[in-house]
C-alpha cells in the first residue's frame, strides 16, 4: 500500500495474517522463491527483500537511479529486469526504458526502448522468453533473447496501469484508470471482454496459480477476488487505509 505497508492475507478467511512496514512508499511486492520471502520496490530507489516469518527487512539494493516501480523474476538465472535483468529477478522502473541487469555484478547488460511515457507495468510469460510492458495507452510485447519487439498495441482510450497474461497466453488482462479490467487478444489487440471491477483506477492485478481467480485492487482501497472465466465477483476485502499498488 502507499502508506508503506505490506499486508499478508489468508485467502480462505480474508483475515489479515501479518503487516510489515517499510521506510518509503511501496510500488510492488512479490513472493520470492519458496514463498518465505517477499521482494519490494519503492520510491526510495531501492529493492528490498523481507523475511515473512521474522516480519522484517533482511536485504537491500540501493543501486537504482530512479524510483523502482515493478518486479518480476527469471527462475534459475542470475538476472534483474528494470524499466530502467539480474540473473535472479527482473525489475521495472518508473522510466521510459527497460534495463536488463546482472545481479552478480550489477552491470547493465541490455536496454529495451520503445515507450515515450513512463512504464507502468511489466509482466513475463510463463516460459520467461516474452515480456509485456505497459506505458500510457500502449502495450508492447518483447522477445527477451533478442530484445526485438514482437508486437505493439496502441490506440486504447484509457490509461493502463497493470497487466497479466492469461493461462494460455492468447490474451492479456489490463487494469485501467476507469476501473475496468479488459482482456486483450494478443494477436489482434482487440478487447475480447471486460469486467467492471472498481469505481476508479486499478493499480494492481494478479491471477491465482491455477488461473481460476483474478485479484484486483486500486485507488478505492478495495481488494477484490473475481472468477476469471465468468467475471463474477467472489469476495471483497476492504481493510486498507490507502490505495493498493501491488
Amino acid at each position: 500500500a502507499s502508506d508503506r505497508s505490506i499486508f499478508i492475507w489468508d485467502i480462505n478467511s480474508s483475515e489479515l495474517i501479518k503487516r510489515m512496514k517499510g521506510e518509503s512508499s511501496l510500488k510492488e511486492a512479490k513472493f520470492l522463491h519458496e514463498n518465505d520471502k517477499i521482494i519490494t520496490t519503492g520510491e526510495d530507489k531501492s529493492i528490498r527483500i523481507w523475511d515473512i516469518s521474522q516480519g522484517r527487512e533482511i536485504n537491500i539494493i540501493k543501486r537504482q537511479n530512479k524510483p523502482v516501480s515493478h518486479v518480476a523474476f527469471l527462475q534459475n538465472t542470475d538476472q534483474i529486469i528494470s524499466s530502467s535483468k539480474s540473473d535472479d529477478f527482473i525489475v521495472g522502473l518508473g522510466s521510459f526504458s527497460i534495463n536488463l541487469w546482472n545481479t552478480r555484478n550489477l552491470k547493465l547488460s541490455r536496454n529495451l526502448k520503445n515507450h515515450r511515457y513512463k512504464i507502468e507495468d511489466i509482466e513475463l510469460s510463463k516460459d520467461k522468453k516474452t515480456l509485456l510492458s505497459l506505458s500510457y495507452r500502449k502495450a508492447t510485447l518483447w522477445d527477451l533473447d533478442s530484445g526485438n519487439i514482437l508486437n505493439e498495441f496502441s490506440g486504447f482510450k484509457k490509461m493502463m496501469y497493470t497487466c497479466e497474461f492469461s493461462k494460455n497466453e492468447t490474451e492479456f488482462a489490463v487494469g485501467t484508470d476507469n476501473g475496468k479490467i479488459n482482456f486483450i487478444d494478443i494477436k489482434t489487440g482487440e478487447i475480447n471482454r471486460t469486467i467492471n471491477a472498481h469505481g476508479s483506477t486499478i493499480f494492481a492485478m494478479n491471477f491465482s496459480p491455477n488461473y481460476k481467480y483474478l485479484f484486483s485492487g486500486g485507488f478505492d482501497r478495495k481488494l477484490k477476488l473475481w472468477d476469471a472465466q465468468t467475471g463474477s465477483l467472489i469476495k471483497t476485502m476492504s481493510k486498507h487505509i490507502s490505495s493498493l499498488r501491488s
Side-chain angles (χ1 to χ4, degrees):
S2 56
D3 70 343
R4 302 179 295 164
S5 296
I6 305 164
F7 295 87
I8 310 292
W9 298 88
D10 185 295
I11 296 176
N12 294 318
S13 67
S14 302
E15 293 296 319
L16 181 63
I17 298 173
K18 185 168 293 187
R19 178 182 179 184
M20 298 181 288
K21 197 82 169 181
E23 294 183 7
S24 67
S25 179
L26 299 173
K27 292 291 187 180
E28 182 91 10
K30 289 194 175 182
F31 287 106
L32 180 63
H33 303 312
E34 301 301 322
N35 293 335
D36 60 340
K37 296 179 180 65
I38 290 174
I39 186 167
T40 63
T41 64
E43 292 286 355
D44 65 350
K45 304 178 183 180
S46 69
I47 301 165
R48 299 171 186 266
I49 298 175
W50 306 75
D51 186 287
I52 296 176
S53 62
Q54 297 180 41
R56 65 179 184 88
E57 171 193 317
I58 59 173
N59 207 347
I60 182 172
I61 302 172
K62 292 184 176 180
R63 295 287 296 259
Q64 310 305 310
N65 60 2
K66 291 187 178 182
V68 186
S69 53
H70 305 293
V71 64
F73 300 98
L74 291 181
Q75 296 177 344
N76 303 320
T77 66
D78 276 332
Q79 299 205 31
I80 299 173
I81 293 182
S82 77
S83 56
S84 89
K85 188 171 168 191
S86 119
D87 294 345
D88 286 325
F89 51 91
I90 296 180
V91 177
L93 299 187
S95 56
F96 308 110
S97 64
I98 299 168
N99 295 331
L100 286 71
W101 301 81
N102 186 293
T103 48
R104 295 181 180 177
N105 55 29
L106 291 180
K107 290 184 178 181
L108 182 67
S109 60
R110 186 180 298 158
N111 180 267
L112 309 178
K113 292 184 177 180
N114 187 46
H115 295 294
R116 295 176 56 193
Y117 302 98
K118 186 184 79 169
I119 295 172
E120 300 292 348
D121 199 9
I122 55 174
E123 183 66 22
L124 276 171
S125 61
K126 285 190 288 249
D127 62 9
K128 311 297 182 184
K129 294 182 178 180
T130 304
L131 181 72
L132 173 66
S133 61
L134 292 184
S135 177
Y136 192 53
R137 299 174 183 174
K138 179 180 178 180
T140 304
L141 278 176
W142 305 84
D143 180 278
L144 277 182
D145 290 333
S146 66
N148 293 330
I149 295 173
L150 298 174
N151 210 343
E152 295 177 273
F153 312 98
S154 58
F156 298 107
K157 295 180 179 180
K158 296 295 180 180
M159 284 276 292
M160 301 178 293
Y161 288 95
T162 180
C163 59
E164 284 284 320
F165 281 111
S166 65
K167 182 177 182 179
N168 55 15
E169 297 184 351
T170 58
E171 61 182 10
F172 58 92
V174 298
T176 67
D177 64 356
N178 65 346
K180 294 183 178 181
I181 299 172
N182 294 325
F183 293 82
I184 299 172
D185 190 285
I186 207 164
K187 292 183 178 180
T188 67
E190 298 293 323
I191 298 175
N192 292 333
R193 55 198 173 99
T194 297
I195 299 175
N196 294 311
H198 294 262
S200 54
T201 304
I202 299 172
F203 292 121
M205 194 170 55
N206 207 0
F207 281 104
S208 63
N210 60 9
Y211 289 87
K212 290 178 63 177
Y213 308 106
L214 179 65
F215 293 91
S216 65
F219 190 75
D220 63 1
R221 301 180 293 175
K222 294 178 181 178
L223 177 64
K224 295 187 177 184
L225 176 63
W226 304 89
D227 184 302
Q229 299 304 313
T230 67
S232 299
L233 179 62
I234 298 172
K235 189 177 294 186
T236 299
M237 291 167 269
S238 54
K239 292 184 179 181
H240 302 90
I241 61 173
S242 60
S243 60
L244 302 181
R245 299 283 172 171
S246 176

